[in-house]
Amino acid sequence: MPRAAALAGRQVDGIIIVDKPAGPTSHDVVALVRRLSGVRRVGHGGTLDPFAGGVLPVFIGRATRVVEYHLGDDKAYLARVCLGARSTTDDLDGELTPTDVPAPQREAVAAALDRFRGPLVQTPPDYSAVHVAGRRAYELARAGQKPELKPRQVTIRSLELTSWEPGDGERPVATLDVRCSAGTYIRALARDLGERLGCGAYLVGLTRTASGPFDLAAARPLEDVRAALAEARLEDVLLPPDTGLEAWPEVVVSDGELAAVARGQVIRPQARTAGAAGLVRVIGPHGRLVAIGRLRGGSLHPEKVLVDVPAAAPAARP
């Protein structure tokens, strides 16, 4: 489907919260948005595996400059964990090895979850994108090499067993509601739960229900995003670049101050936010985000500028 002609020449900056279906990669979604919008600078706020679905924030145009402020956001997931076998990839795409340990009952699984709440040392899956000696771990694993992965500190904010599918009695499936810090591998959580129970476990389904301030309620199905971009109905799906950063203080700048901010110059804004220090949203006279800045000692230091330097006004004729 060709890019809508109506988008040609338009400045497209903002965030689309995509409800990614299982199947396409996160890169596939970014490539689709890039092709239909005609904007080269498109990125996402955290990779989802192809078999996983749910919240995928996609940042477009100058909004890509604020991605870094979301990468450390907590995440939330609904994870379906199959017990009674191990997987080479810790999910349904790997080679399975059944165990001869009887499958646990629901009560035993619920009790085992307490071990995983709070701060946790977790080793990433062998099939992960972690760099090991200049190569991705999954590249080494696919080549038959065991990657030496360093454990990392993560935090499980909450972990609850929300449903139980007994199945055939040998492979029950538990659905877990997980809220965790950025960098947590849910595949590793499933793997480690299985090891804790002695029966093995792997991930058979995953839905990201929230990524920081973005949740499924605000997410749009991929087909809706495709249609909106193809028909140039940006207002249907595009959110402002500072969506999710509303808790930050804002500093409104005048036209003259805006020109300085656009050049990356430090200013002492006339409209100061009482008691504000640290990161702030810099709002232009038109009411839209123009920069992310840092207030220090009454001075505003631009960190990420999202506007061009205003064109000089033409000189008045004598």
Side-chain angles (χ1 to χ4, degrees):
M1 181 183 298
R3 175 172 62 92
L7 287 180
R10 292 174 58 177
Q11 181 65 47
V12 181
D13 303 313
I15 306 170
I16 299 177
I17 313 304
V18 178
D19 183 357
K20 187 186 91 67
T25 66
S26 299
H27 178 74
D28 290 337
V29 175
V30 166
L32 175 70
V33 172
R34 181 181 292 121
R35 176 168 59 85
L36 292 179
S37 68
V39 179
R40 288 184 56 83
R41 288 190 295 176
V42 180
H44 61 73
T47 301
L48 278 173
D49 288 332
F51 77 89
V55 175
L56 182 69
V58 177
F59 298 78
I60 304 174
R62 290 166 175 158
T64 56
R65 307 216 71 195
V66 305
V67 172
E68 67 179 78
Y69 303 114
H70 293 283
L71 293 180
D73 288 344
D74 285 356
K75 307 293 191 295
Y77 299 92
L78 282 179
R80 298 182 68 244
V81 179
C82 183
L83 300 128
R86 297 182 176 92
S87 166
T88 53
T89 60
D90 300 324
D91 61 30
L92 74 172
D93 291 332
E95 181 180 344
L96 300 181
T97 302
T99 62
D100 54 9
V101 176
Q105 298 298 309
R106 176 176 182 151
E107 294 73 18
V109 175
L113 296 181
D114 190 56
R115 166 64 181 79
F116 298 94
R117 297 186 179 102
L120 187 69
V121 176
Q122 183 185 76
T123 301
D126 289 349
Y127 286 81
S128 64
V130 175
H131 280 97
V132 179
R135 297 181 65 186
R136 300 284 190 180
Y138 63 77
E139 295 174 342
L140 296 172
R142 288 171 181 169
Q145 303 176 45
K146 175 70 175 176
E148 296 184 8
L149 294 163
K150 296 180 180 179
R152 58 174 62 180
Q153 186 80 35
V154 300
T155 301
I156 306 298
R157 314 286 186 200
S158 64
L159 177 60
E160 302 298 333
L161 175 58
T162 60
S163 70
W164 180 260
E165 303 167 39
D168 57 9
E170 296 181 359
R171 300 274 186 90
V173 174
T175 298
L176 307 179
D177 187 338
V178 187
R179 293 184 179 274
C180 57
S181 61
T184 302
Y185 279 93
I186 307 301
R187 283 184 290 145
L189 178 63
R191 175 201 67 203
D192 294 345
L193 175 62
E195 295 309 304
R196 179 77 176 178
L197 293 164
C199 63
Y202 61 98
L203 201 60
V204 294
L206 186 66
T207 300
R208 186 155 65 195
T209 56
S211 178
F214 311 119
D215 59 23
L216 275 176
R220 303 299 301 271
L222 184 58
E223 287 308 308
D224 288 1
V225 173
R226 183 197 301 270
L229 290 178
E231 298 168 15
R233 293 183 286 104
L234 291 180
E235 65 281 358
D236 288 357
V237 295
L238 194 66
L239 302 175
D242 55 346
T243 301
L245 302 178
E246 292 89 352
W248 292 11
E250 66 176 39
V251 174
V252 179
V253 295
S254 64
D255 285 319
E257 293 170 332
L258 173 59
V261 168
R263 296 186 184 94
Q265 297 172 350
V266 178
I267 66 169
R268 294 186 67 85
Q270 296 177 354
R272 300 181 187 178
T273 302
L279 289 171
V280 296
R281 293 177 295 133
V282 184
I283 307 299
H286 44 60
R288 296 190 296 275
L289 183 74
V290 297
I292 299 294
R294 188 176 296 274
L295 278 179
R296 289 199 296 264
S299 295
L300 176 64
H301 300 251
E303 288 198 355
K304 303 288 183 180
V305 176
L306 281 73
V307 292
D308 295 326
V309 177
R317 294 184 179 181

